[in-house]
């Protein structure tokens, strides 16, 4: 029997076949999970629907996570069509382009608000709405980056957003633990995706990564997917509120160590 047989995962954050959420969905499915998929807006449907169909998904729904009414509608449809879920994947981030360039000092009030709303509050909103569907307990996971702990070149407003995301995951983990729901964070090294293309320092971070990370190789979406399978499964049943680095050990180094 496969490790996630009988479990259903709802996955947010697939934009295309480079998305980390796609790597996660594919890995969860390979280990037996039924996959339900949500995408952000109409332009994404053309790419996301065929991917989801490759995994046999029948539940493929649009949801802009900044809109509470869309979140509620999605979970109403989910309750009708699927019923209970066991796994919730939150792989969503956004900050306005203007606030990803120039100095962090000049971050606009609106840019800060949008980054926090899309990249952080959405985890809280999705978790709250998902909990009634997680009747057998479950596993919620989100994606962060080391730039939430240390200052990373070009990461700007996403740094404080990731710090707030990791903290939110811990607060959710504390409250949801007694209901048998675990909440964890995966923090991968740099991976070439649509979101990464919007981070000005990304090219250099990516180019230098494999030469300096202790394991001397890049991270791919399958690496993240495999870690997600572990977090989704009973193998990690006593692990909650944690940030799991999938970065070849990069985070353990001080600058200059090779
Ligand atoms: P991606 O662009 O493939 O995924 C980002 C997703 O966020 C997209 O699917 C996009 O549609 C979705 N999104 C944005 N605004 C939304 C909204 N309002 N409503 C619903 N969905 C919305 O890029 P990715 O790199 O796979 O990003 C996934 C997560 O991984 C993000 O949280 C990102 O910060 C994190 N992460 C990425 C890297 C990397 O190097 N790529 C490293 C560490 C962490």
């Amino acid at each position: 029997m496969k490790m996630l047989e009988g479990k259903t995962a709802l996955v947010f954050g697939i934009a295309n076949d480079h998305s980390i959420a796609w790597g996660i969905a594919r890995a969860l499915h390979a280990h037996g999970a039924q996959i339900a998929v949500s995408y952000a807006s109409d332009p994404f449907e053309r790419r996301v629907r065929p991917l989801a169909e490759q995994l046999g998904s029948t539940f493929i729904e649009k949801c802009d996570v900044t809109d509470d009414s869309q979140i509620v509608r999605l979970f109403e449809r989910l309750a009708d069509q699927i019923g209970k879920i066991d796994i919730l994947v939150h792989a969503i981030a956004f900050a306005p382009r203007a606030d990803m360039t120039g100095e962090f000092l000049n971050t606009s009030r609106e840019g800060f608000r949008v980054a926090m709303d899309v990249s952080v509050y959405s985890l809280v909103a999705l978790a709250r709405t998902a909990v009634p569907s997680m009747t057998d307990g479950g596993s919620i996971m989100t994606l962060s980056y080391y730039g939430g702990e240390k200052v990373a070149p070009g990461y700007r407003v996403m740094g404080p957003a990731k710090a707030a995301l990791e903290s939110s995951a811990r607060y959710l983990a504390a409250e949801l633990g007694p209901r048998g729901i675990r909440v964890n964070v995966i923090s991968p090294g740099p991976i070439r995706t649509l979101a990464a293309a919007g981070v000005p320092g990304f090219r250099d971070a990516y180019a230098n990564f494999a030469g300096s990370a202790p394991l001397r190789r890049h991270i791919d979406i399958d690496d993240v997917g495999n870690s997600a399978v572990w977090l989704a499964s009973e193998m990690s049943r006593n692990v909650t509120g944690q940030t799991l680095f999938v970065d070849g050990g990069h985070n353990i180094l001080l600058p200059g160590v090779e």
Side-chain angles (χ1 to χ4, degrees):
M1 182 163 155
K2 291 181 175 174
M3 203 159 33
L4 301 177
E5 203 82 58
K7 296 200 186 290
T8 300
L10 174 58
V11 178
F12 288 83
I14 303 177
N16 54 42
D17 62 355
H18 299 287
S19 294
I20 291 172
W22 171 239
I24 293 175
R26 204 165 51 183
L28 296 176
H29 180 258
H31 288 270
Q34 178 188 356
I35 308 294
V37 167
S38 175
Y39 57 92
S41 59
D42 290 332
F44 288 103
E45 184 177 5
R46 189 173 57 85
R47 288 187 194 279
V48 175
R49 186 168 287 279
L51 292 172
E53 285 172 353
Q54 277 182 39
L55 306 182
S57 304
T58 51
F59 188 91
I60 307 166
E61 293 284 336
K62 179 173 70 171
C63 179
D64 177 342
V65 296
T66 61
D67 182 344
D68 286 327
S69 65
Q70 291 191 33
I71 295 176
V72 168
R73 199 166 57 231
L74 176 112
F75 279 94
E76 283 171 356
R77 287 190 183 147
L78 187 87
D80 282 351
Q81 294 178 35
I82 293 192
K84 139 184 124 66
I85 61 165
D86 309 279
I87 303 156
L88 176 69
V89 177
H90 172 277
I92 292 173
F94 177 78
R97 183 171 292 271
D99 295 285
M100 292 302 290
T101 51
E103 292 187 301
F104 172 68
L105 187 66
N106 292 324
T107 305
S108 68
R109 189 180 295 274
E110 179 61 6
F112 196 91
R113 186 196 68 71
V114 169
M116 288 287 170
D117 188 14
V118 180
S119 317
V120 185
Y121 183 72
S122 61
L123 173 68
V124 183
L126 292 181
R128 182 174 57 244
T129 324
V131 161
S133 306
M134 299 182 106
T135 47
D136 287 345
S139 174
I140 298 175
M141 62 192 84
T142 185
L143 273 299
S144 189
Y145 181 59
Y146 194 38
E149 287 186 28
K150 304 283 184 203
V151 177
Y155 209 50
R156 298 187 173 85
V157 68
M158 283 311 299
K162 291 304 192 191
L165 179 72
E166 292 178 21
S167 179
S168 300
R170 288 189 286 272
Y171 275 82
L172 290 171
E175 285 184 3
L176 296 177
R179 291 176 234 186
I181 299 171
R182 300 181 292 112
V183 186
N184 288 290
V185 181
I186 301 176
S187 186
I191 301 174
R192 281 193 268 197
T193 64
L194 201 60
V199 177
F202 178 83
R203 278 170 72 106
D204 288 343
Y206 184 85
N208 298 330
F209 184 81
S212 60
L215 290 175
R216 295 288 194 271
R217 55 178 175 248
H218 278 108
I219 306 304
D220 64 31
I221 62 173
D222 297 325
D223 295 323
V224 184
N226 289 334
S227 299
V229 169
W230 178 71
L231 283 177
S233 78
E234 291 302 302
M235 302 285 278
S236 62
R237 70 189 191 117
N238 277 320
V239 177
T240 196
Q242 302 303 308
T243 297
L244 173 67
F245 284 99
V246 181
D247 69 345
H250 193 264
N251 73 92
I252 66 173
L253 303 178
L254 279 172
V257 180
E258 293 199 352

